[in-house]
Amino acid sequence: MELAIGIILGCCALGAGIAMIAGIGPGIGEGSAVAKACEAIGRQPESKSAVTSTLIMGCAIAETTGIYALVIAILLIFVAPNIFIKALVNAKNSGLF
């Protein structure tokens, strides 16, 4: 029983770590978008407002991927182990294994 709980906790922690790898993508994408926006504004300074508003909207949409990954990681760390351990205890009490 203790080994099964340890495996559950380890797998939840591993899954949370893998989910947080998704935080790398928004950082790279937003950095690239800002660089291209700076180049565009440097070439045509009169288009600054249009480029800036499009940049902010794009960065907000790109950031949602990182936020979703963070939510999944938090759920895997704090919520999922309790659910899995309760299911394990119920299965043991009902005689399934």
Side-chain angles (χ1 to χ4, degrees), residues 21-73:
I21 291 174
I24 296 171
I28 293 171
E30 289 174 18
S32 175
V34 170
K36 296 296 182 180
C38 289
E39 288 178 18
I41 292 171
R43 289 187 185 135
Q44 293 180 336
E46 66 274 2
S47 67
K48 179 182 177 185
S49 63
V51 171
T52 303
S53 63
T54 305
L55 170 72
I56 290 172
M57 180 61 73
C59 284
I61 292 171
E63 189 64 32
T64 59
T65 306
I67 293 170
Y68 290 148
L70 178 65
V71 168
I72 295 299

Side-chain angles (χ1 to χ4, degrees), residues 3-17 81:
L3 179 62
I5 292 173
I7 291 172
I8 289 171
L9 294 175
C11 289
C12 286
L14 183 64

